Amino acid sequence: QQPAQFTSPETPGYVGFANLPNQVHRKSVKKGFEFTLMVVGESGLGKSTLINSLFLTDLYPERIIPGAAEKIERTVQIEASTVEIEERGVKLRLTVVDTPGYGDAINCLDCFKTIISYIDEQFERYLHDESGLNRRHIIDNRVHCCFYFISPFGHGLKPLDVEFMKAIHNKVNIVPVIAKADTLSLKERERLKKRILDEIEEHGIKIYHLPDAESDEDEDFKEQTRLLKASIPFCVVGSNQLIEAKGKKVRGRLYPWGVVEVENPEHNDFLKLRTMLITHMQDLQEVTQDLHYENFRSERLKRGGR
Amino acid sequence: PHAGPVEGKNEAAMSELVPEPRQKPAVPMKPMGINTNLLGYIGIDTIIEQMRKKTMKTGFDFNIMVVGQSGLGKSTLVNTLFKSQVSRKSSGWNREEKIPKTVEIKAIGHVIEEGGVKMKLTVIDTPGFGDQINNENCWEPIEKYINEQYEKFLKEEVNIARKKRIPDTRVHCCLYFISPTGHSLRPLDLEFMKHLSKVVNIIPVIAKADTMTLEEKIEFKQRVRKELEVNGIEFYPQKEFDEDLEDKTENDKIRQESMPFAVVGSDKEYQVNGKRVLGRKTPWGIIEVENLTHCEFALLRDFVIRTHLQDLKEVTHNIHYETYRAKRLNDNGGLPPMTVETEENHESNL
């Protein structure tokens, strides 16, 4: 049977279920969103600053940076901070999972065990809740995305980078980020990006792939998606300080030789990273649910027991 | 250590590269462009737009059941609701179509599209309900069918390798047709709604409302509401599931004034005041189905389709289905065995 076609309220045959997306919209706005972002990288790569810049917030108000001697004793910690951000009535409950201590030890062999356990624990808890009796208020603490910070000072990926990413690429969406991009010239950046992409492929590391724009999207969106895909890994600079430049207040870093502007696409990929995260937030959640979590779940159930 | 914010002009060369700041869009219809320079706007609200796009693309299922004695206009009403022949009318009792001896469950699926949104609509008819001489327990096949759909969903959900989008055949809405006697509910009506309101969203409607005058209608509705309340029957929208004050206010009005909707259905068009309208022609006038002064069809349609469609599905999934699941978990000491089912050996659907 031919699908019946009705177009608008004025059309005599209008039923009204085209209003369903609005109903879903209304419920989503009421419910709000949850998103968990993990940041991994050596100390001093600008992770905290970047997160604060991305969400225009201060997740680490009373931060004390430990000295080297203290760091020797530390093992990798997991620190989760949750913040509620509201914009135009839409609420986002963002949890940032920080991993201080990663890469700090002299011997980093055990570095990622803690992190992998954390990711698995969230899956385990979700599986448990999902199989339970009362499922009305399940909280989703699963890690939807992991920003992995690569140092701009090296010549590409370090062995630790490779091993870590390989250990988690089947558990979480990895978005590689080149930190402190203001230490590199544009040419150096391009070289480094290419090098890193080659190494990722060489080692069979699965990073998060942006889905292609659908054929019915408008040209702007398609172009934007193309640009985003071409810029990975993103080279970013973070800052929460406002600098006045040419009569305008910009977020940036002031050097004797000039101002690096965080939100200037000619200076770094910060805006691209933020756009990517926001426009793909839902997809990141879906891939986590449909791929990483389902993998975990089927492995777990096959191993036996609920 | 970085230098602090600088007051006054900064002659830095790099600031020449700052692009023109774009106007902040009033309502972002698509994700903001990469080159937007906006201090203080993240773009979280664009997530909603993404979800809306997704809903439109994936389309959705909606399963509506109609229950009531033959001849109350169930099929006509469903056809009118969805403005298409989604329910096959039984054109009276001819030789081939006898009254079924037991209640039958007939599910017919259709795909309809509107404004870019695709809906897979399934209408579940229940011929034979209330038509026998002895109608004892005639709701049982219906309750069984509803539970079977919950069971199907549950089985898929606990599978080790489960489908990404579990096909949803659960009944989201059950329209119960009350005969317009003008007196009160019949015992069968009470029994049915008592049993079924615990497992499915029931929306009672007064059928063939063109047999009542305005005063008779108001009185009958009041009486029916009272009877439902006295008998503890919670029809949709159930009071206990109002999510917030906004919902409660809106739903209170519907529960206490509008419901049960007194409806008239028709798939015939007539010319009234230069417009073509759906209606019933009688010697004393034309009853316009979508005219709110004639009957409450438009209210029912707006309620079920335009405002509460998503909520009907959510209450089915979050409340009724969960209740069923919890019971299954407690009985028999557990859920059905989790078999590793591949696409090939998956059981065929009904």
Side-chain angles (χ1 to χ4, degrees):
Chain A
Q1 191 164 335
Q2 279 263 21
Q5 298 263 359
F6 307 115
T7 48
S8 70
E10 289 74 49
T11 314
Y14 184 70
V15 175
F17 63 85
N19 201 38
L20 181 82
N22 287 332
Q23 295 176 37
V24 174
H25 174 136
R26 197 161 154 256
K27 283 193 180 270
S28 310
V29 170
K30 272 198 199 176
K31 228 171 53 165
F33 299 92
E34 288 177 319
F35 193 79
T36 301
L37 173 67
M38 178 179 261
V39 285
V40 183
E42 290 173 2
S43 313
L45 281 183
K47 302 188 294 294
S48 313
T49 308
L50 184 72
I51 296 299
N52 285 343
S53 308
L54 269 178
F55 297 101
L56 301 174
T57 176
D58 189 4
L59 276 172
Y60 312 97
E62 279 135 30
R63 201 169 165 222
I64 303 166
I65 300 184
E70 290 162 290
K71 284 188 191 170
I72 290 181
E73 290 307 319
R74 254 187 1 171
T75 50
V76 178
Q77 314 281 313
I78 306 282
E79 284 174 6
S81 335
T82 303
V83 70
E84 284 213 7
I85 307 172
E86 185 172 332
E87 209 169 54
R88 297 197 184 163
V90 181
K91 285 200 242 326
L92 172 68
R93 198 165 156 272
L94 173 75
T95 302
V96 177
V97 180
D98 205 350
T99 53
Y102 175 86
D104 280 346
I106 295 174
N107 180 351
C108 289
L109 278 176
D110 277 346
C111 219
F112 29 98
K113 258 201 296 186
T114 317
I115 298 175
I116 293 176
S117 298
Y118 179 82
I119 297 175
D120 279 343
E121 263 160 40
Q122 308 317 307
F123 282 154
E124 184 72 45
R125 183 172 323 161
Y126 193 85
L127 179 60
H128 176 266
D129 288 348
E130 197 190 32
S131 316
L133 269 182
N134 188 348
R135 309 197 297 183
R136 286 203 71 174
H137 303 287
I138 297 184
I139 296 181
D140 185 4
N141 278 322
R142 299 171 295 184
V143 180
H144 301 117
C145 179
C146 173
F147 281 178
Y148 188 78
F149 283 68
I150 298 166
S151 171
F153 306 122
H155 292 289
L157 296 178
K158 299 208 188 86
L160 178 62
D161 299 335
V162 173
E163 286 315 302
F164 179 77
M165 285 199 274
K166 271 168 69 173
I168 65 161
H169 66 175
N170 283 322
K171 292 180 184 290
V172 75
N173 297 315
I174 301 179
V175 175
V177 174
I178 300 170
K180 295 200 165 175
D182 51 345
T183 58
L184 301 168
S185 70
L186 290 180
K187 257 224 194 76
E188 286 164 347
R189 280 188 218 173
E190 287 313 306
R191 245 203 316 253
L192 185 58
K193 279 192 188 186
K194 184 168 185 321
R195 183 73 189 270
I196 289 175
L197 285 176
D198 286 344
E199 287 174 340
I200 284 176
E201 198 184 320
E202 185 191 319
H203 288 105
I205 296 170
K206 296 180 232 174
I207 59 173
Y208 172 69
H209 279 297
L210 272 68
D212 286 319
E214 312 247 341
S215 51
D216 59 349
E217 299 281 1
D218 57 47
E219 272 312 306
D220 279 348
F221 186 74
K222 285 189 193 164
E223 182 56 31
Q224 182 197 76
T225 308
R226 266 192 290 265
L227 262 173
L228 285 178
K229 284 173 97 108
S231 308
I232 292 176
F234 298 115
C235 250
V236 293
V237 175
S239 167
N240 267 345
Q241 292 186 321
L242 287 177
I243 316 272
E244 185 136 347
K246 277 215 162 171
K248 263 178 38 234
K249 276 204 158 66
V250 292
R251 222 174 295 276
R253 291 171 58 72
L254 175 66
Y255 289 108
W257 48 90
V259 176
V260 178
E261 294 164 46
V262 167
E263 283 171 1
N264 185 337
E266 315 242 343
H267 290 191
N268 77 110
D269 295 333
F270 174 84
L271 281 184
K272 290 201 186 82
L273 177 64
R274 181 200 271 170
T275 303
M276 188 228 75
L277 182 63
I278 298 293
T279 61
H280 291 87
M281 210 171 247
Q282 235 219 330
D283 187 61
L284 284 161
Q285 281 180 325
E286 273 182 27
V287 175
T288 305
Q289 164 77 29
D290 297 338
L291 180 66
H292 301 300
Y293 172 69
E294 288 296 316
N295 273 343
F296 175 86
R297 182 180 173 273
S298 47
E299 286 304 305
R300 191 70 182 70
L301 293 179
K302 276 190 211 147
R303 264 186 289 140
R306 257 187 297 117
Chain B
H2 322 302
V6 175
E7 295 298 342
K9 285 203 184 285
N10 181 331
E11 255 74 55
M14 283 203 198
S15 46
E16 281 158 4
L17 299 170
V18 173
E20 277 302 306
R22 283 234 205 106
Q23 268 294 93
K24 207 183 271 199
V27 176
M29 288 306 293
K30 60 185 182 197
M32 60 181 189
I34 297 172
N35 295 329
T36 319
N37 182 359
L38 299 168
L39 290 173
Y41 173 67
I42 304 172
I44 291 170
D45 48 340
T46 60
I47 298 178
I48 301 274
E49 192 52 34
Q50 298 162 37
M51 293 194 66
R52 181 203 297 262
K53 276 208 193 120
K54 255 206 84 229
T55 312
M56 290 189 48
K57 284 219 179 82
T58 50
F60 63 103
D61 299 333
F62 190 67
N63 308 318
I64 184 168
M65 178 183 264
V66 286
V67 182
Q69 286 181 306
S70 339
L72 280 183
K74 302 188 294 290
S75 303
T76 309
L77 186 73
V78 175
N79 289 345
T80 316
L81 265 178
F82 295 100
K83 299 264 173 84
S84 43
Q85 294 290 327
V86 288
S87 183
R88 233 188 85 255
K89 280 191 291 181
S90 50
S91 43
W93 307 323
N94 51 34
R95 264 196 299 264
E96 292 89 57
E97 292 173 47
K98 297 216 164 88
I99 304 179
K101 284 274 159 55
T102 52
V103 178
E104 295 179 348
I105 312 281
K106 288 201 175 129
I108 308 174
H110 296 263
V111 176
I112 48 182
E113 186 181 326
E114 184 178 78
V117 182
K118 262 207 220 28
M119 168 155 87
K120 181 162 171 290
L121 171 72
T122 302
V123 178
I124 302 137
D125 203 351
T126 53
F129 176 85
D131 289 334
Q132 318 304 329
I133 296 174
N134 181 357
N135 289 308
E136 260 175 20
N137 301 328
C138 68
W139 57 83
E140 278 176 0
I142 297 174
E143 192 171 353
K144 183 157 165 281
Y145 176 83
I146 291 173
N147 285 332
E148 273 168 5
Q149 309 319 304
Y150 291 148
E151 183 67 29
K152 254 204 325 199
F153 195 88
L154 183 60
K155 268 215 181 83
E156 185 58 42
E157 211 189 10
V158 302
N159 232 338
I160 290 182
R162 53 192 186 182
K163 299 203 179 99
K164 192 159 87 148
R165 249 191 100 205
I166 303 178
D168 192 0
T169 56
R170 300 170 297 184
V171 180
H172 302 123
C173 171
C174 173
L175 293 183
Y176 186 78
F177 285 67
I178 297 168
S179 188
T181 60
H183 293 179
S184 64
L185 289 174
R186 294 172 312 135
L188 179 60
D189 300 335
L190 282 177
E191 280 306 294
F192 177 86
M193 286 195 273
K194 246 200 234 162
H195 281 92
L196 275 283
S197 59
K198 300 198 182 84
V199 296
V200 73
N201 294 322
I202 296 198
I203 296 180
V205 294
I206 299 171
K208 299 205 162 173
D210 51 336
T211 56
M212 293 187 289
T213 64
L214 213 51
E215 295 83 22
E216 287 166 351
K217 198 168 33 173
I218 294 174
E219 241 188 82
F220 186 49
K221 278 169 71 156
Q222 262 171 2
R223 218 167 314 144
V224 169
R225 271 198 298 265
K226 192 85 199 300
E227 268 188 304
L228 290 172
E229 191 185 333
V230 161
N231 284 280
I233 294 170
E234 277 258 41
F235 52 86
Y236 177 87
Q238 300 91 334
K239 272 194 279 265
E240 48 177 334
F241 306 140
D242 285 336
E243 281 174 353
D244 52 35
L245 192 59
E246 196 187 341
D247 277 354
K248 186 172 181 311
T249 322
E250 188 188 342
N251 289 340
D252 270 345
K253 192 159 178 298
I254 295 172
R255 280 188 289 258
Q256 288 155 18
E257 292 170 24
S258 316
M259 285 179 83
F261 299 109
V263 295
V264 175
S266 169
D267 49 13
K268 294 201 171 59
E269 282 184 344
Y270 295 97
Q271 195 93 344
V272 173
N273 293 336
K275 268 187 16 213
R276 292 202 64 78
V277 293
L278 285 172
R280 286 173 58 71
K281 188 154 186 232
T282 68
W284 45 93
I286 294 181
I287 306 158
E288 296 163 49
V289 167
E290 280 171 309
N291 185 334
L292 278 171
T293 57
H294 289 195
C295 79
E296 291 159 7
F297 169 80
L299 288 181
L300 173 69
R301 179 202 52 213
D302 288 351
F303 179 64
V304 172
I305 298 177
R306 294 186 190 173
T307 56
H308 286 70
L309 194 60
Q310 182 62 17
D311 190 59
L312 280 161
K313 293 181 62 165
E314 286 190 7
V315 173
T316 304
H317 179 66
N318 296 330
I319 312 282
H320 297 302
Y321 171 68
E322 287 298 312
T323 308
Y324 176 83
R325 181 178 170 275
K327 226 170 359 145
R328 280 292 265 117
L329 278 178
N330 280 325
D331 302 340
N332 319 325
L335 289 168
M338 294 175 294
T339 50
V340 183
E341 290 196 29
T342 58
E343 284 296 312
E344 286 77 29
N345 63 23
H346 201 86
E347 281 174 8
S348 61
N349 294 328
L350 285 170

